[in-house]
Amino acid sequence: MKHYFMATFASYDDNEQMSFRTAVAALDEYKVPGSKLRELVAAAPEADLELVCVSYLGQMTEEEFGAR
């Protein structure tokens, strides 16, 4: 089982409109290292993202996480 975290980032476009982007990380430990956050930011198409929050979703199997 993995620990699931959701990171929420904010960015602004040229018209100063704010938008949000989220990313989910499935990790073996109950912590999100800075290297993982930098990896999530690097994978986003936006150039300037600000971290708004990180939420812990719980420890679960991949099947539980993907359940509808």
Side-chain angles (χ1 to χ4, degrees):
M1 291 203 303
K2 300 269 188 179
H3 295 275
Y4 284 82
F5 298 86
M6 179 180 289
T8 303
F9 301 94
S11 64
Y12 293 90
D13 65 15
D14 292 337
N15 297 322
E16 297 189 22
Q17 293 284 73
M18 179 184 263
S19 63
F20 293 94
R21 177 180 184 79
T22 59
V24 173
L27 305 173
D28 292 325
E29 297 185 71
Y30 181 63
K31 61 183 177 180
V32 184
S35 59
K36 185 61 176 178
L37 291 173
R38 286 187 292 278
E39 180 183 313
L40 294 173
V41 168
E46 294 89 350
D48 296 318
L49 292 177
E50 295 179 25
L51 180 64
V52 175
C53 71
V54 176
S55 301
Y56 181 62
L57 302 177
Q59 184 177 25
M60 62 191 99
T61 65
E62 188 176 340
E63 291 78 24
E64 290 174 311
F65 177 74
R68 295 183 188 256

